[in-house]
């Protein structure tokens, strides 16, 4: 590949995504706040830079996968980022943030002649390695056509176009994460009830999640397998991402006066678990 891609954010998911791009033949400039996390990629041939702006090529493509609204906005507004990206440049944003922030960032890019494409991810690091990610994306059509090969190279087995209105793909991500968190907590409650009544929770899970029975879905199978190992543990352990995303779902829903009784309950449950950790 002749084009050098900027890649910012090398956490649990960012690292395998970047590695997949290198394996597909792309040249990378990588940045991470904790510089040592870039070492595996440098060994694979990536160029490590010391500032976010140094990962950006004029008119090129820069990928970000960061924690949330504040972290993405901080990168975009850092010294020289938008100016360096400039006309024809594309920011491929893969973080789970609020639709409101996505629209704000898209407007900031437009003022500098660059384009913001949102492409949040369904799937964790193992799914990235296995090339089994599902990715909704939204933004200007020409820009989406340019980044689609990157999404496939990063591990996208399903890349679903949600139109040109930025915010739509982010909304899909929040909806999906709400359903995932709902499933996790429901599974823990159900399997714990079975175990407390003397029924093997693994046998319950195997029956209900094996096709063609009721719930032969990866989310029930994967989370269920972990839950049966300890039905008393919090469904997502010490991971703070589910609470962040449920709160984003609630805020987005409340902005259009959409009721959130289940999301509110989940938020309370997770805050209670956090307090006991």
């Amino acid at each position: 590949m002749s084009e050098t891609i900027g890649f910012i954010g090398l956490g649990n998911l960012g690292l395998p995504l970047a590695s997949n791009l290198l394996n597909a033949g792309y040249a990378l400039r990588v940045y991470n706040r904790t510089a040592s996390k870039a070492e595996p990629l440098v060994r694979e041939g990536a160029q490590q830079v010391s500032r976010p702006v140094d990962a950006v090529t004029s008119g090129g493509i820069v990928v970000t996968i960061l924690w949330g609204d504040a972290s993405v906005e901080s990168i975009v507004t850092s010294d020289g980022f938008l100016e360096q990206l400039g006309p024809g440049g594309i920011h491929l944003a893969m973080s789970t943030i609020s639709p409101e922030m996505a629209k704000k960032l898209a407007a900031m890019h437009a003022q500098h002649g660059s384009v913001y494409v949102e492409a949040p991810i369904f799937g964790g690091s193992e799914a990235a390695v296995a090339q089994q990610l599902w990715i909704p994306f939204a933004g200007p059509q020409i820009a989406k056509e340019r980044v689609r090969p990157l999404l496939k190279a990063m591990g996208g087995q399903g890349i679903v176009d949600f139109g040109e209105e930025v915010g739509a793909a982010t909304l899909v991500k929040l909806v999906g994460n709400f359903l995932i968190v709902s499933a996790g907590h429901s599974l823990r409650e159900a399997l714990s009830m079975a175990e407390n009544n003397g029924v093997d929770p693994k046998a319950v899970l195997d029956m209900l999640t094996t096709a063609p029975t009721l719930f032969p879905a990866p989310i029930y199978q994967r989370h269920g397998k972990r839950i049966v190992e300890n039905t008393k543990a919090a469904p997502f352990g010490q991971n703070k991402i589910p609470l962040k995303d449920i709160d984003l779902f609630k805020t987005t829903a409340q902005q259009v006066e959409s009721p959130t009784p289940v999301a509110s309950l989940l938020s309370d449950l997770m805050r209670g678990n956090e307090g006991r950790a």
Side-chain angles (χ1 to χ4, degrees):
M1 304 293 177
S2 59
E3 187 170 23
T4 298
I5 306 299
F7 202 103
I8 297 172
L10 302 173
N12 290 336
L13 187 52
L15 190 63
L17 295 180
S19 181
N20 285 347
L21 286 176
L22 285 170
N23 291 336
Y26 288 92
L28 293 188
R29 291 180 187 168
V30 298
Y31 170 82
N32 194 71
R33 185 174 58 182
T34 303
S36 60
K37 289 188 176 182
E39 291 174 1
L41 298 175
V42 172
R43 290 195 293 269
E44 294 178 38
Q47 176 188 354
Q48 185 174 7
V49 299
S50 58
R51 301 180 303 162
V53 66
D54 295 330
V56 180
T57 301
S58 180
I61 299 173
V62 59
V63 179
T64 60
I65 180 160
L66 303 162
W67 170 257
D69 284 29
S71 56
V72 181
E73 184 177 25
S74 175
I75 289 292
V76 170
T77 57
S78 63
D79 289 344
F81 182 95
L82 288 171
E83 291 79 8
Q84 177 66 15
L85 189 57
I90 298 174
H91 176 187
L92 179 57
M94 307 186 79
S95 309
T96 301
I97 62 175
S98 67
E100 183 179 20
M101 177 56 71
K103 293 175 184 178
K104 177 181 178 180
L105 295 172
M108 293 170 62
H109 281 76
Q111 291 174 356
H112 290 79
S114 55
V115 176
Y116 181 94
V117 174
E118 57 178 1
I121 296 170
F122 288 108
S125 56
E126 291 181 2
V129 171
Q131 306 273 310
Q132 293 176 347
L133 301 171
W134 286 88
I135 307 175
F137 74 148
Q141 190 61 38
I142 294 176
K144 286 186 296 188
E145 292 172 1
R146 187 174 165 195
V147 302
R148 183 183 283 272
L150 271 73
L151 296 176
K152 184 175 181 180
M154 279 188 267
Q157 69 170 344
I159 303 167
V160 184
D161 192 338
F162 278 87
E164 299 203 1
E165 185 69 27
V166 168
T170 296
L171 189 68
V172 172
K173 173 62 171 171
L174 295 182
V175 168
N177 281 6
F178 164 71
L179 294 173
I180 290 169
V181 175
S182 300
H185 280 268
S186 296
L187 272 169
R188 197 275 299 265
E189 186 170 328
L191 296 174
S192 180
M193 191 275 280
E195 183 178 53
N196 290 339
N197 277 280
V199 177
D200 181 4
K202 183 179 185 303
V204 174
L205 180 73
D206 289 346
M207 175 189 168
L208 295 179
T209 63
T210 301
T213 53
L214 297 178
F215 307 107
I219 196 65
Y220 283 99
Q221 295 165 344
R222 185 168 62 251
H223 283 288
K225 181 179 179 181
R226 182 171 50 80
I227 288 169
V228 296
E229 295 173 357
N230 185 358
T231 56
K232 303 299 188 292
F236 299 95
Q238 300 300 310
N239 191 338
K240 297 183 183 299
I241 292 175
L243 176 57
K244 171 188 77 81
D245 292 350
I246 288 296
D247 285 345
L248 284 174
F249 178 93
K250 282 180 57 183
T251 300
T252 303
Q254 289 165 358
Q255 288 170 349
V256 292
E257 299 183 353
S258 184
T260 59
V262 176
S264 295
L265 175 59
L266 289 170
S267 180
D268 290 343
L269 286 171
M270 285 186 285
R271 281 190 162 80
N273 288 331
E274 191 176 63
R276 291 192 295 272

